[in-house]
Each structure stands twice: as structure tokens, then as C-alpha cells.
Amino acid sequence: MTRTDLYQSMKRQVTTLGVTLYGIHFNSEALQLQRLRKEGARPEKVTVLVRADDIRMVSVEFSGGPTLQLTSKALDTCDEPISLEEWVAAYKAVKGFCDARRPQ
């Protein structure tokens, strides 16, 4: 993963769930059409760009192909920006809660 001041860029595989970042699935019909076009070829990783100050939308760049803007249904009801820092903190809190409830 590479970082700039505002954006983070990483490589991800496109699956039937779309691209997954920080446990969030970003998907669209256009993304799945691109995946199906590439299916016969060796699966490639795409470049995903996300703003560190608002993870509700990502850009997915295909090598030699289009750049798609994707949102996640999981975050559709969020009217305010969600920073990566906030999301990771919430994820850790939920994971800690689940881990604490797991039988030893």
C-alpha cells in the first residue's frame, strides 16, 4: 500500500463481491462486467484509490481500461464522511467485543 497526504492506493483482486477494503465490499454492475471480460485471462489486480478522510467512495483503475467510482451498500446510509481512522477504530472495537465473547 502506498500513501499520499490524502489518498491511499492499494492493489486488490476483483471477485464476485467486488473489491474489498478494510472489510467493506465495493461493487457495481460495471465492475462485474469488467471482471467477466478479463475472466479468460490471468486474473489481475486492480488499483484502488481511497480518500483517508472519507472512505464512502473508492476509485478502481483497470490496467488499460476504465476507472470506476464505486460506493458500498454497507455505507449508503452514512450522510457524513467516514475517515479511515474512524472506521479502523470501530472495526477494532467490534472485533474486540466478538473476541471477548468467544469461548476460550
Side-chain angles (χ1 to χ4, degrees):
M1 173 174 46
T2 59
R3 290 181 183 229
T4 63
D5 289 344
L6 190 55
Y7 288 91
Q8 290 192 9
S9 170
M10 58 212 72
K11 296 286 190 179
R12 290 292 188 270
Q13 192 80 30
V14 180
T15 69
T16 56
L17 296 174
V19 293
T20 304
L21 255 52
Y22 312 111
I24 308 166
H25 303 293
F26 294 86
N27 205 355
S28 73
E29 187 175 320
L31 181 69
Q32 290 304 313
L33 287 172
Q34 280 297 115
R35 182 183 66 82
L36 292 173
R37 285 189 186 118
K38 305 271 186 182
E39 201 167 78
R42 190 174 127 235
E44 69 177 69
K45 290 192 173 187
V46 295
T47 300
V48 182
L49 295 169
V50 61
R51 287 179 59 117
D53 65 345
D54 189 0
I55 63 171
R56 294 176 298 166
M57 181 181 291
V58 299
S59 296
V60 176
E61 299 175 348
F62 285 85
S63 177
T67 297
L68 304 173
Q69 303 294 316
L70 303 177
T71 59
S72 172
K73 288 182 181 181
L75 303 177
D76 277 351
T77 59
C78 298
D79 295 328
E80 298 293 320
I82 304 166
S83 73
L84 178 56
E85 184 178 358
E86 291 170 317
W87 182 260
V88 169
Y91 173 81
K92 286 180 179 177
V94 170
K95 185 174 180 338
F97 174 78
C98 292
D99 289 347
R101 291 181 51 109
R102 188 174 302 138
Q104 297 298 324

